[in-house]
Amino acid sequence: MIVVLDTNYMISHLEFIQQLSQLIPLHIPYTVVQELDGLKSSATVGNQARSATRFLLEHIERFVMEQESTFVSDDQILNYCRSLSPPVLLLTNDTNLQLKASIHSISVCGSYSGTPNDFYHQYFGSVDDCEMTIADMDAEMKPLDPVLEVMLDIQRIASHLMASQVSKHLETAYGHQWQEWIKQEPYGLLDLFETVKSEWMTAFDNVLPKSLRDQLDALISLSKDMERNMRIQKSQMTRGDLQWMVTQMTGFVNLFQESEKQQFSDMMTSLFHKVQNAFI
């Protein structure tokens, strides 16, 4: 059975999805990635959309990502499900989509009250009955493009290390209520660069080198290219682009405490060499 996720399910059941993705491969239609990106600035579900996007980036190996969609109608998720070999199970809270899916003999699941293990046993039976587990998928899939792997490393450093430091400096500038002042929290690489640019004078002018400010527009542009590459699972960036980006990211070392600066610098040096080796 193939399990497909809708955007609203990613947002409302993220913890469930995080656990379920450790048991079975999950399919993400291209339009879901687009919709999550569009919801990042939402006043109501922006935080959840950013969390879902960050989880996809950090654990992309657990998902089967559709490349650029060829479907142009309003029923892109439904059409994606219909393009797959049955049986297909669609996870969605959208009652209209549930009805349309049922008409086309696609199984649906709305809010699920059980645990991920319960879900697994209900729809897949025992491990022996499961058509494809994560281990099976890993064995059958080609190794991840080394350039895409480097992009994942860059995104992880942005999400785990740099974003936390940027947040600390925003809190220093605005106080504990800084999230009420900042339109977009610095989770991923693109969000991080955009936030630093918009809040430069308030939070970063006396911390980061002035030369870095002049490079933020170029870093934002490259971050968009990187996200696009990750979505389509195809590396189109050059070694020069990625090495330049890593070099500029090294300039964020001043965000860290003295005891952490060397570790961050060493990590960036290692990442620079990894970029070089990825293109050999």
Side-chain angles (χ1 to χ4, degrees), residues 170-181:
L170 289 171
E171 184 173 342
T172 299
Y174 288 101
H176 294 299
Q177 304 301 316
W178 68 270
Q179 290 167 309
E180 297 180 6
W181 294 85

Side-chain angles (χ1 to χ4, degrees), residues 49-65:
R50 287 192 290 272
S51 296
T53 300
R54 186 168 72 252
F55 180 75
L56 285 176
L57 283 171
E58 293 175 357
H59 301 282
I60 198 167
E61 72 279 359
R62 299 182 186 177
F63 299 89
V64 180
M65 309 290 289

Side-chain angles (χ1 to χ4, degrees), residues 14-73:
L14 182 58
E15 184 176 354
F16 179 83
I17 295 302
Q18 289 171 337
Q19 297 175 40
L20 185 63
S21 67
Q22 298 180 60
L23 301 176
I24 55 173
L26 301 173
H27 285 242
I28 308 291
Y30 182 71
T31 187
V32 170
V33 177
Q34 290 180 308
E35 289 175 356
L36 286 174
D37 187 59
L39 290 171
K40 284 182 180 179
S41 58
S42 168
T44 54
V45 296
N47 287 341
Q48 295 95 314
R50 287 192 290 272
S51 296
T53 300
R54 186 168 72 252
F55 180 75
L56 285 176
L57 283 171
E58 293 175 357
H59 301 282
I60 198 167
E61 72 279 359
R62 299 182 186 177
F63 299 89
V64 180
M65 309 290 289
E66 181 193 19
Q67 297 188 358
E68 297 257 1
S69 178
T70 57
F71 306 122
V72 294
S73 72

Side-chain angles (χ1 to χ4, degrees), residues 4 6-7 29 31-32 35 75-81 90 97:
V4 179
D6 189 9
T7 309
T31 187
V32 170
E35 289 175 356
D75 295 324
Q76 292 185 38
I77 294 176
L78 176 63
N79 288 335
Y80 175 71
C81 291
L90 173 62
L97 184 54

Side-chain angles (χ1 to χ4, degrees), residues 60-275:
I60 198 167
E61 72 279 359
R62 299 182 186 177
F63 299 89
V64 180
M65 309 290 289
E66 181 193 19
Q67 297 188 358
E68 297 257 1
S69 178
T70 57
F71 306 122
V72 294
S73 72
D74 292 336
D75 295 324
Q76 292 185 38
I77 294 176
L78 176 63
N79 288 335
Y80 175 71
C81 291
R82 294 180 65 191
S83 72
L84 300 172
S85 299
V88 175
L89 174 65
L90 173 62
L91 305 188
T92 179
N93 299 325
D94 187 332
T95 53
N96 287 330
L97 184 54
Q98 289 178 5
L99 177 59
K100 292 178 181 178
S102 298
I103 292 173
H104 291 281
S105 301
I106 297 170
S107 300
V108 295
C109 177
S111 296
Y112 191 81
S113 58
T115 67
N117 283 332
D118 294 335
F119 179 95
Y120 181 94
H121 289 295
Q122 177 176 341
Y123 289 99
F124 291 90
S126 66
V127 174
D128 293 334
D129 293 333
C130 184
E131 286 186 11
M132 180 179 284
T133 65
I134 290 294
D136 296 326
M137 185 176 69
D138 288 343
E140 293 187 12
M141 287 179 62
K142 295 179 180 179
L144 183 65
D145 184 319
V147 179
L148 291 175
E149 187 175 342
V150 168
M151 293 181 191
L152 274 174
D153 287 341
I154 292 174
Q155 289 284 5
R156 290 185 183 116
I157 289 175
S159 299
H160 291 302
L161 296 179
M162 295 171 65
S164 63
Q165 300 303 318
V166 167
S167 298
K168 288 179 182 178
H169 285 274
L170 289 171
E171 184 173 342
T172 299
Y174 288 101
H176 294 299
Q177 304 301 316
W178 68 270
Q179 290 167 309
E180 297 180 6
W181 294 85
I182 306 302
K183 179 180 179 181
Q184 186 158 281
E185 297 174 39
Y187 284 133
L189 194 64
L190 176 59
D191 291 343
L192 185 145
F193 290 144
E194 289 181 336
T195 300
V196 170
K197 178 184 177 182
S198 64
E199 303 302 323
W200 182 273
M201 294 304 298
T202 303
F204 304 104
D205 188 50
N206 296 323
V207 180
L208 297 174
K210 301 294 188 294
S211 58
L212 184 58
R213 178 183 59 185
D214 299 331
Q215 307 301 331
L216 286 171
D217 284 336
L219 287 168
I220 289 170
S221 178
L222 284 177
S223 298
K224 291 179 179 178
D225 290 342
M226 182 182 294
E227 289 194 356
R228 191 178 306 113
N229 281 205
M230 296 302 298
R231 283 199 298 269
I232 66 175
Q233 285 289 280
K234 184 177 181 181
S235 57
Q236 298 174 327
M237 299 179 70
T238 68
R239 177 172 60 184
D241 286 339
L242 291 175
Q243 287 186 322
W244 182 85
M245 174 181 277
V246 172
T247 300
Q248 299 305 314
M249 288 170 63
T250 304
F252 283 81
V253 66
N254 289 342
L255 294 177
F256 293 83
Q257 297 180 0
E258 288 298 326
S259 60
E260 302 171 326
K261 287 183 177 180
Q262 188 59 53
Q263 182 181 2
F264 178 72
S265 295
D266 291 344
M267 186 177 300
M268 299 310 295
T269 299
S270 175
L271 188 56
F272 184 90
H273 292 305
K274 188 170 183 178
V275 171

